Amino acid sequence: MLNLEFKEKLIAAVSKSNVEDSKASRLVYSYDATPNFQALPDAVVSPRCAEEVSQVVKLCGHYKVPIVPRGSGTNLCAGTCPTEGGIVLLFKHMNKILEIDEENLTVTVQPGAVTLDIINEVEARGLFYPPDPSSMKISTIGGNINENSGGLRGLKYGVTRDYVMALEIVLANGDIIRTGGKLAKDVAGYDFTRLFVGSEGTLGILTEATLKLIPMPETKSTMLALYQDLEAAARSVSKIIANKIIPATLEFLDQPTLKVVEDFARIGLPTDVKAVLLIEQDGPADLVSGDMLKMANICKQEQAVSVQLAKTNEEAEALRTARRSALSALARLKPTTILEDATVPRSEIARMVTAINEIGERFNVQICTFGHAGDGNLHPTVATDARDHDEMERVEKAFAAIFEKAIELGGTITGEHGVGEMKAPYLELKLGAAGISAMKAVKDALDPANIMNPGKVFAKDTRKRVVVSS
Amino acid sequence: MLNLEFKEKLIAAVSKSNVEDSKASRLVYSYDATPNFQALPDAVVSPRCAEEVSQVVKLCGHYKVPIVPRGSGTNLCAGTCPTEGGIVLLFKHMNKILEIDEENLTVTVQPGAVTLDIINEVEARGLFYPPDPSSMKISTIGGNINENSGGLRGLKYGVTRDYVMALEIVLANGDIIRTGGKLAKDVAGYDFTRLFVGSEGTLGILTEATLKLIPMPETKSTMLALYQDLEAAARSVSKIIANKIIPATLEFLDQPTLKVVEDFARIGLPTDVKAVLLIEQDGPADLVSGDMLKMANICKQEQAVSVQLAKTNEEAEALRTARRSALSALARLKPTTILEDATVPRSEIARMVTAINEIGERFNVQICTFGHAGDGNLHPTVATDARDHDEMERVEKAFAAIFEKAIELGGTITGEHGVGEMKAPYLELKLGAAGISAMKAVKDALDPANIMNPGKVFAKDTRKRVVVSS
């Protein structure tokens, strides 16, 4: 419950209509896309500008109230669940595309702008913003930056971090700072731009961002390679890269995922094969056709049973959309869907896929695996039911085993989804106690009262868990 | 002078031959490539592995002795001058290229490896490490990472930061941590990899790095565009980018620089024009020839008096080498050369070049300007004599005016050279008091005893100065 004095000051700062604390609005923002995490905030606050954010942050600091910035809540790590109560900060008023600068190839946005709207706006000018998380239709750019979102084009084009040039940030003390600029080169002080990208709202509140754009590739081509052997598909991935071809997209779907996606999307995906690679290249026409031919040959050498080029743009778009719908399709199977993103060096993809299947068998859990094979970022996914405590226990153990295997192979516990609350207990696997302690020191330095999205990234205890049983 | 007990412990840690404290060795490491900064260290220490670095750091922590990591000392910001005494840490034993991983397209190196050696090794395998600071023949990769070095290929390929995937770092408390991995995607915790890149040795000691490689571009083409009008050259730069062409290199040299470089390199550079653009594109042959043609036309539309394509690889290499030799060439003119790297959004290049010339006239200082026009990173340079106190005073004022103008145009005080001690008093121009205070909090959190390269990045006082008169 909101302290009355605090509430009055909040209203004075952002106006009455922008402070909601009815049971209904609090319930709406008590969870995000992550299964099995829920906690009621005390209020939902919608500031209209950085100055208002600063006032809200100062009030939260004074009254020691947690503050959880939230876009569309599409994250899968419980990053925006208000675990410790406090205020959920919405950016519904701060959702503008402020400027597209065609001379400097940048776009400047407010955090609440929807990713796909930005992509469409810049593409209309012949420019390209590559990061394309699967949730981009509804995700906000602020959320993407806070989670350092990846996507299907990460292999060739990198992730959100690689496109953030400048930020406006409200710090825990209410100070408004600006990092970076429309500058290809800037080494004035520490790289705070990238420190804040992926910091999950635990270091400050993002209020504006300038993103780098690149010229739109001239053409794009799409193909499907079908396999009766999982490892052959994985070997094709390694061999394509080792042959010095960097495709725009190199996605992997195993048979269980294929079946579910086809059942959802109904575009004629093959369901009688063990694995599919969805491969795309973009760029100048000659280069694209040359690369597609080389990649088709590599896939055939590695025992692909069929390699089919998409004949039309519509067919290619249908394939991409089907791939992006994998999570939605899997979510139809059972009440609870747990999607992970253990990531390994791309040379280890075959070993990781094999290990995931073995782990699924060992714990008697059916795991569907799909993901960004080209960058080693896999999404092993389990459709389950949170009410089935016995199965949930096994799912939890299976994912713990997957994380350990990923680390053993030189990988990480999360490639693009973030740590949030869900993966905080596993962070030490990747960073070690010394690494966590150094990061915690930075958190304490910038947010000494721990009001910025508390309970995220750093675990309160070391109990390993993927899900919290309700 | 070294405390005897401390010295004995240092010797126990790294062996006698790796602790030098003769006057001669201390003198050798009392300065770097930055004019007019000099301070004697107490000793020069050469560890052989991360474990030894950790022991040295722990000893420095215990005895409160500053520690200054140093590669070849080619930096231009007094970043490796042992301003507060203490230990200069050399990496002459830690200079190996440890692994080239052709499956994951990475190279793993020790900090003392020379940049050009790495570039040559990976190019022999058909791979490409793009960052190419002008000092790359002698600079070490550890220095490049600590300064986040740029280079001629920054416009298209980015800077050192964009190629660092993983680091091994010894923290101020002696802990050895590892960040990142051979991973295109990794969001496990804060982006410490990029926090440490460009941190100038003030947060920890780098002991190993894994760098991203990309496939070697198929071909490369080089041309020179000559202008009788500085602003026409600058306009060509903006127009090339606005036409959605991103060349590999887009370098600018003004007439005074051209004359000096030609006098040094003697390759037949034109010296009767006001400015030259050195333009390169790389990639597939068709793409390159198409882009070169488009860029040549743009230059002609913008009143280039001549556009010449390099006819042979040798001719192209001679042009690049001449450009890289600009600093050496300018350094022959007078005893003291001060080279700066104020950087602006590329749309502001014309305004910045004009402002630099006006500032030169106002303070009666001859400024030669060259640099990476495509990314807005200019190197206004003054050949002077540190003993001429009157002129030095005017030089100082001129550079202060240049920094202020760069900031006014949305730029920064340093694009690729770093802050070090030299530019620390100007950092507030870019970051504001709140920005500096937040960065200082991170520094204090990770290095509470302030032993890591103290006196760098953060100014002790706010007296603005480019050079310290000796």
Side-chain angles (χ1 to χ4, degrees):
Chain A
M1 275 289 291
L2 277 193
N3 165 322
L4 265 187
E5 183 187 273
F6 175 55
K7 182 174 171 180
E8 273 167 28
K9 288 187 183 170
L10 273 181
I11 289 172
V14 301
S15 90
K16 195 164 175 16
S17 63
N18 289 319
V19 179
E20 298 167 78
D21 63 350
S22 70
K23 188 75 197 279
S25 22
R26 291 164 59 215
L27 197 61
V28 168
Y29 295 102
S30 65
Y31 58 92
D32 57 29
T34 322
N36 269 17
F37 283 84
Q38 187 167 26
L40 280 179
D42 298 310
V44 181
V45 176
S46 306
R48 291 163 296 191
C49 61
E51 190 43 56
E52 286 190 2
V53 173
S54 167
Q55 287 181 52
V56 172
V57 168
K58 281 181 190 161
L59 288 171
C60 287
H62 184 76
Y63 290 94
K64 303 278 173 278
V65 175
I67 182 164
V68 182
R70 178 190 161 110
S72 300
T74 50
N75 75 85
L76 296 166
C77 64
T80 52
C81 177
T83 317
E84 305 193 1
I87 278 175
V88 167
L89 207 66
L90 296 187
F91 295 89
K92 62 184 184 187
H93 302 305
M94 296 173 69
N95 62 354
K96 314 284 180 304
I97 296 172
L98 299 172
E99 182 203 39
I100 297 177
D101 179 342
E102 298 191 50
E103 267 196 291
N104 289 302
L105 305 190
T106 61
V107 57
T108 299
V109 295
Q110 290 184 315
V114 169
T115 315
L116 188 60
D117 292 347
I118 298 171
I119 289 176
N120 288 337
E121 282 276 331
V122 304
E123 290 192 358
R125 317 265 190 115
L127 294 169
F128 187 36
Y129 175 71
D132 60 342
S134 292
S135 57
M136 65 184 187
K137 269 191 195 172
I138 46 165
S139 70
T140 65
I141 194 71
N144 291 177
I145 294 171
N146 271 317
E147 297 295 345
N148 188 13
S149 300
L152 277 64
R153 300 191 281 236
L155 167 62
K156 181 169 180 176
Y157 290 106
V159 295
T160 302
R161 175 223 301 141
D162 301 305
Y163 294 87
V164 182
M165 300 182 82
L167 292 174
E168 182 185 70
I169 299 157
V170 177
L171 297 176
N173 61 5
D175 279 350
I176 303 174
I177 64 168
R178 284 185 167 270
T179 72
K182 290 178 180 174
L183 299 165
K185 291 176 174 172
D186 177 19
V187 291
Y190 301 146
D191 190 348
F192 262 34
T193 305
R194 282 156 200 94
L195 177 65
F196 279 87
V197 172
S199 66
E200 307 192 355
T202 62
L203 300 179
I205 312 283
L206 177 69
T207 50
E208 192 184 295
T210 297
L211 308 172
K212 171 181 157 174
L213 304 173
I214 58 176
M216 190 71 191
E218 210 176 274
T219 57
K220 179 148 76 172
S221 188
T222 305
M223 71 180 176
L224 274 190
L226 317 182
Y227 294 85
Q228 289 301 357
D229 175 1
L230 273 177
E231 290 187 31
R235 277 198 312 272
S236 301
V237 171
S238 293
K239 210 165 162 185
I240 286 169
I241 314 278
N243 271 275
K244 305 189 174 67
I245 303 171
I246 311 287
T249 294
L250 223 180
E251 295 288 306
F252 168 88
L253 294 91
D254 70 1
Q255 191 171 30
T257 312
L258 272 174
K259 285 183 174 166
V260 175
V261 168
E262 174 56 20
D263 191 49
F264 178 80
R266 303 222 176 265
I267 59 159
L269 282 175
T271 55
D272 57 344
V273 293
K274 288 284 191 306
V276 154
L277 291 180
L278 170 66
I279 305 173
E280 297 198 298
Q281 184 57 300
D282 59 12
D286 288 353
L287 182 72
V288 169
S289 55
D291 278 357
M292 293 305 272
L293 188 65
K294 282 184 220 158
M295 290 192 283
N297 286 337
I298 290 170
C299 294
K300 284 174 196 157
Q301 282 161 23
E302 291 298 332
Q303 275 78 52
V305 292
S306 153
V307 180
Q308 311 156 352
L309 210 70
K311 284 175 204 69
T312 62
N313 277 343
E314 290 67 32
E315 193 184 330
E317 187 55 37
L319 289 172
R320 279 192 290 273
T321 305
R323 160 59 191 87
R324 275 188 227 282
S325 72
L327 172 58
S328 318
L330 287 160
R332 296 161 78 218
L333 291 183
K334 290 199 185 171
T336 310
T337 312
I338 301 174
L339 182 152
E340 270 308 333
D341 79 327
T343 301
V344 291
R346 64 172 77 95
S347 60
E348 305 299 327
I349 282 279
R351 266 180 285 265
M352 192 67 207
V353 169
T354 307
I356 290 171
N357 290 336
E358 281 167 9
I359 288 165
E361 277 173 35
R362 190 182 344 145
F363 293 101
N364 187 25
V365 174
Q366 210 219 323
I367 305 178
C368 300
T369 298
F370 63 98
H372 319 298
D375 49 34
N377 180 204
L378 292 173
H379 294 312
T381 304
V382 172
T384 180
D385 185 339
R387 293 162 301 187
D388 180 345
H389 289 215
D390 172 62
E391 181 163 285
M392 287 301 278
E393 182 92 19
R394 284 182 284 115
V395 170
E396 197 168 303
K397 285 180 181 159
F399 276 115
I402 287 173
F403 294 146
E404 277 162 24
K405 186 71 191 177
I407 297 292
E408 185 195 316
L409 294 174
T412 184
I413 59 166
T414 173
E416 58 180 8
H417 290 173
V419 176
E421 180 161 354
M422 179 145 152
K423 257 180 292 192
Y426 296 93
L427 191 60
E428 198 173 322
L429 273 181
K430 171 73 173 81
L431 300 177
I436 291 203
S437 147
M439 287 190 189
K440 190 82 172 44
V442 169
K443 161 76 172 169
D444 294 343
L446 293 178
D447 178 25
N450 195 27
I451 57 165
M452 292 291 179
N453 207 2
K456 309 300 159 56
V457 183
F458 305 104
K460 280 194 219 74
D461 56 58
T462 55
R463 188 175 107 72
K464 307 281 187 292
R465 57 163 188 239
V466 177
V467 291
V468 177
S469 300
S470 51
Chain B
M1 274 291 288
L2 232 40
N3 163 324
L4 266 187
E5 183 188 274
F6 174 57
K7 181 175 171 181
E8 273 166 27
K9 289 187 182 168
L10 274 180
I11 289 172
V14 301
S15 90
K16 193 161 174 19
S17 63
N18 290 318
V19 179
E20 296 167 79
D21 64 350
S22 68
K23 187 75 197 280
S25 23
R26 290 164 60 214
L27 197 60
V28 168
Y29 295 102
S30 64
Y31 59 91
D32 56 29
T34 321
N36 269 18
F37 284 85
Q38 186 167 24
L40 278 180
D42 298 310
V44 181
V45 176
S46 306
R48 289 163 295 190
C49 60
E51 190 43 56
E52 287 190 0
V53 173
S54 166
Q55 287 182 50
V56 172
V57 168
K58 281 181 191 161
L59 288 172
C60 287
H62 184 76
Y63 290 95
K64 304 277 173 279
V65 175
I67 180 165
V68 182
R70 178 190 162 110
S72 300
T74 51
N75 75 86
L76 296 167
C77 63
T80 51
C81 178
T83 316
E84 306 193 1
I87 278 176
V88 167
L89 207 66
L90 295 187
F91 295 90
K92 62 183 184 188
H93 302 305
M94 297 173 70
N95 62 355
K96 313 283 180 304
I97 297 173
L98 298 172
E99 182 204 39
I100 296 176
D101 179 341
E102 297 192 48
E103 268 196 290
N104 290 302
L105 305 189
T106 61
V107 57
T108 299
V109 295
Q110 291 184 315
V114 169
T115 314
L116 187 61
D117 292 346
I118 299 170
I119 289 176
N120 287 338
E121 282 276 329
V122 305
E123 291 193 357
R125 317 265 191 116
L127 295 169
F128 187 37
Y129 175 72
D132 61 342
S134 292
S135 56
M136 66 185 187
K137 269 191 197 172
I138 47 165
S139 70
T140 66
I141 193 71
N144 291 176
I145 295 171
N146 271 318
E147 297 294 345
N148 188 15
S149 300
L152 277 64
R153 300 191 280 235
L155 167 61
K156 180 169 181 178
Y157 290 106
V159 294
T160 301
R161 175 223 300 139
D162 301 304
Y163 294 86
V164 182
M165 301 182 83
L167 292 175
E168 183 184 71
I169 300 157
V170 177
L171 297 175
N173 61 6
D175 280 350
I176 303 175
I177 65 169
R178 285 186 165 269
T179 72
K182 290 178 180 174
L183 298 164
K185 291 174 173 173
D186 178 18
V187 291
Y190 302 145
D191 191 347
F192 262 34
T193 305
R194 281 155 201 93
L195 177 63
F196 279 87
V197 172
S199 65
E200 307 191 355
T202 63
L203 300 179
I205 310 284
L206 178 69
T207 50
E208 192 184 296
T210 297
L211 309 170
K212 172 179 155 174
L213 304 174
I214 58 178
M216 190 71 195
E218 211 175 274
T219 57
K220 179 148 76 171
S221 189
T222 305
M223 70 182 176
L224 272 191
L226 317 183
Y227 295 84
Q228 289 300 357
D229 175 2
L230 272 178
E231 291 188 30
R235 278 197 312 272
S236 301
V237 171
S238 293
K239 210 163 162 189
I240 287 170
I241 315 278
N243 272 275
K244 302 186 177 64
I245 303 170
I246 310 286
T249 293
L250 191 30
E251 295 288 306
F252 168 88
L253 293 91
D254 69 1
Q255 190 170 30
T257 312
L258 272 172
K259 286 184 174 165
V260 176
V261 169
E262 173 56 19
D263 191 46
F264 178 77
R266 305 223 176 261
I267 59 160
L269 282 175
T271 53
D272 56 346
V273 294
K274 288 283 190 308
V276 155
L277 292 180
L278 170 67
I279 306 175
E280 296 199 297
Q281 182 57 301
D282 59 12
D286 288 355
L287 182 73
V288 169
S289 55
D291 278 357
M292 293 305 271
L293 189 63
K294 284 185 219 157
M295 290 192 284
N297 286 336
I298 290 170
C299 294
K300 284 175 198 158
Q301 281 162 22
E302 291 296 334
Q303 275 78 54
V305 292
S306 152
V307 180
Q308 312 156 352
L309 209 70
K311 283 175 204 73
T312 61
N313 277 342
E314 290 65 34
E315 192 183 332
E317 189 54 38
L319 289 172
R320 281 191 290 275
T321 304
R323 159 59 191 88
R324 276 189 226 282
S325 70
L327 172 57
S328 318
L330 287 159
R332 296 164 77 219
L333 292 183
K334 289 199 185 173
T336 309
T337 312
I338 302 173
L339 183 152
E340 270 308 332
D341 78 327
T343 301
V344 292
R346 65 172 76 94
S347 60
E348 306 299 326
I349 282 278
R351 264 179 286 265
M352 192 66 206
V353 169
T354 307
I356 290 171
N357 290 336
E358 282 167 9
I359 289 166
E361 278 174 35
R362 190 179 347 142
F363 293 100
N364 187 25
V365 173
Q366 209 219 325
I367 305 179
C368 299
T369 298
F370 63 98
H372 318 298
D375 48 33
N377 182 202
L378 292 173
H379 293 313
T381 303
V382 172
T384 179
D385 186 338
R387 292 162 299 187
D388 179 345
H389 290 214
D390 172 63
E391 180 164 285
M392 288 301 278
E393 182 93 20
R394 284 182 283 115
V395 169
E396 198 170 298
K397 285 181 180 158
F399 277 114
I402 287 173
F403 295 146
E404 277 162 26
K405 186 70 188 180
I407 297 292
E408 185 196 314
L409 294 173
T412 185
I413 59 166
T414 172
E416 57 180 8
H417 290 175
V419 176
E421 180 161 354
M422 178 145 154
K423 258 181 287 191
Y426 295 93
L427 191 61
E428 197 172 322
L429 272 181
K430 172 73 174 78
L431 301 176
I436 291 201
S437 146
M439 287 189 189
K440 192 80 173 44
V442 168
K443 161 75 174 171
D444 293 343
L446 293 178
D447 178 24
N450 195 27
I451 56 165
M452 292 293 181
N453 208 2
K456 310 298 160 59
V457 182
F458 305 104
K460 280 194 219 75
D461 57 59
T462 54
R463 186 174 111 71
K464 307 278 185 294
R465 57 160 189 243
V466 177
V467 289
V468 177
S469 300
S470 50

